[in-house]
Amino acid sequence: MTALLAAGEDPRPSLLARRDPTAKLLLVLVVTTAVVLVLDPVTPLVLWVLALVGLLLGARVPVRTAARAHVPFLVLAVGQLTVNLVTRPGEVIATPGPLRLTAEGLEVGTAIALRTLVIGVLAVAFITTTSPVRLMTSLQQNARLSPRVTYAILAGYRMLQEMPREWASLRAAHAVRAPLRPDGTPTRSPRVLLGAAFGLLVVSVRKGERLSQSLESRGLGLTPRTTWRPSPWTRADAVLVVVVLGVLVAVLATSAALGVLAGPAVLFG
């Protein structure tokens, strides 16, 4: 994910990179909300394929980068599938040892796992095609957010980008003092990792405090303010919103017409 966060700093030219960040953020929120309410395996599978095509073509993300970006979401998806498979009551389809695997658990778990992948692809597409500075400008100009909110979002985005580098530095510093394994490699015990995580928390809090003081000293919140590089909402942004929402509605309507679409009621059925 380090490479993806760095990509958001200066996104490569692409169809999605040229679109307004507020429009893309709106689409991510709407599609994510719709996917969260879907609990059948087929609908999120179709949406995941369409989102993946959009990531590869619209964002011009290399296949290798897209595959690596799937790893953390895939791990989470497998965990969700496993938990539902062994804990959800229903018709038993297999009994490996003391475990009882149910058909209902397989169906719901697969749906939840697939919607996790959909949300992951949307997040990757947004990160790799959105400049933090342009995001701040767009939210202030088009979403009518106050400078305090937009600059806070920019600061959080910057800190998120720097976290992988800070983590690597802390791990290197801990490796100098930590006891070595018999083969000479640094230990990776939970205690050492917890110490590094606590150090990352302390560094982030201190950096956030310094950043807030810096913004206040530069007159954050004073009005009127001017924009160096405006991010106007264009006709192409409206077309993107209409097309994506139209595809979403078409997929949901088709699933409903075929009798495939299922909602949260499945959890209580």
Side-chain angles (χ1 to χ4, degrees), residues 1-2 4 48 52 55 63-80 113 116-117 120-121 124:
M1 295 298 291
T2 305
L4 293 176
W48 173 69
L52 190 58
L55 176 66
V63 176
R64 184 176 180 181
T65 302
R68 287 190 303 170
H70 270 74
V71 172
F73 301 104
L74 187 60
V75 172
L76 178 60
V78 171
Q80 293 170 331
T116 298
L117 296 181
V121 171
V124 171

Side-chain angles (χ1 to χ4, degrees), residues 18-20 134 138 141-142 229-234 237:
R18 293 191 294 269
R19 300 285 65 81
D20 183 76
R134 193 180 176 204
S138 176
Q141 182 179 349
N142 299 322
R229 292 182 178 178
S231 181
W233 184 290
T234 64
D237 298 319

Side-chain angles (χ1 to χ4, degrees), residues 40-65:
D40 68 88
V42 178
T43 306
L45 176 60
V46 174
L47 292 175
W48 173 69
V49 172
L50 294 175
L52 190 58
V53 171
L55 176 66
L56 298 177
L57 299 181
R60 297 182 61 186
V61 174
V63 176
R64 184 176 180 181
T65 302

Side-chain angles (χ1 to χ4, degrees), residues 49-130:
V49 172
L50 294 175
L52 190 58
V53 171
L55 176 66
L56 298 177
L57 299 181
R60 297 182 61 186
V61 174
V63 176
R64 184 176 180 181
T65 302
R68 287 190 303 170
H70 270 74
V71 172
F73 301 104
L74 187 60
V75 172
L76 178 60
V78 171
Q80 293 170 331
L81 173 60
T82 304
V83 170
N84 281 275
L85 190 58
V86 300
T87 61
R88 189 165 296 280
E91 179 185 354
V92 178
I93 57 176
T95 55
L99 301 178
R100 297 171 63 255
L101 311 184
T102 64
E104 288 77 2
L106 177 62
E107 180 178 357
V108 174
T110 302
I112 295 177
L114 287 171
R115 78 186 189 188
T116 298
L117 296 181
V118 174
I119 295 172
V121 171
L122 296 177
V124 171
F126 183 80
I127 290 174
T128 55
T129 62
T130 305

Side-chain angles (χ1 to χ4, degrees), residues 203 205-215:
V203 169
V205 171
R206 289 178 176 175
K207 184 176 295 186
E209 183 180 2
R210 292 195 300 268
L211 186 59
S212 65
Q213 293 174 352
S214 176
L215 291 175

